[in-house]
Amino acid sequence: GCSPNEVTLSAAVSSCGRGQQWERACLLLEEFRVVRGEPNEVAYNAALTACEKSEQCWAALRLLGDLRSARASPGLAAISAAAGACARTSQWEDALHALSLSEVPLDAASTNAALR
């Protein structure tokens, strides 16, 4: 059989995001974690983007927390996607909290993109 790796995981999670299937994207990430170990940041970013597109603030914040636990600091793409998921549902305090987790300076463009 075919054993999933981080490349196939990222592709599958991205496909779920394009199809507005954020729950399936999160499930794939969790299943990979159990079977193969911690997914890479690309896979997390794909799942976070799926949550953003589906306006799932709480799921995005949970994924961001998982990513922070697994890695020292999430990248700008992860932070922006989580903040965007919250901003899309007018949960501004949560969006600002997500932005505050960035360990790299946020510029105006990234902040505006997250809060669009």
Side-chain angles (χ1 to χ4, degrees):
C2 180
S3 178
N5 61 32
E6 290 179 329
V7 174
T8 57
L9 172 68
S10 297
V13 172
S14 291
S15 293
C16 291
R18 285 190 297 276
Q20 301 279 326
Q21 296 182 20
W22 68 273
E23 291 172 309
R24 186 175 301 256
C26 292
L27 181 61
L28 285 171
L29 204 65
E30 181 59 32
E31 288 176 353
F32 186 89
R33 185 181 298 123
V34 169
V35 174
R36 301 286 303 233
E38 199 59 44
N40 65 17
E41 191 167 357
V42 174
Y44 270 105
N45 289 347
L48 282 159
T49 299
C51 291
E52 179 183 18
K53 289 180 179 178
S54 298
E55 300 179 350
Q56 297 297 320
C57 176
W58 301 115
L61 291 176
R62 189 196 55 146
L63 281 175
L64 190 60
D66 291 348
L67 179 56
R68 288 184 74 215
S69 295
R71 307 211 185 304
S73 66
L76 190 55
I79 296 283
S80 294
C86 296
R88 287 177 180 222
T89 57
S90 298
Q91 296 177 18
W92 299 108
E93 289 181 8
D94 291 320
L96 292 172
H97 172 70
L99 289 173
S100 75
L101 298 176
S102 178
E103 294 184 14
V104 296
L106 299 171
D107 59 14
S110 60
T111 303
N112 287 339
L115 298 178
R116 63 183 173 278

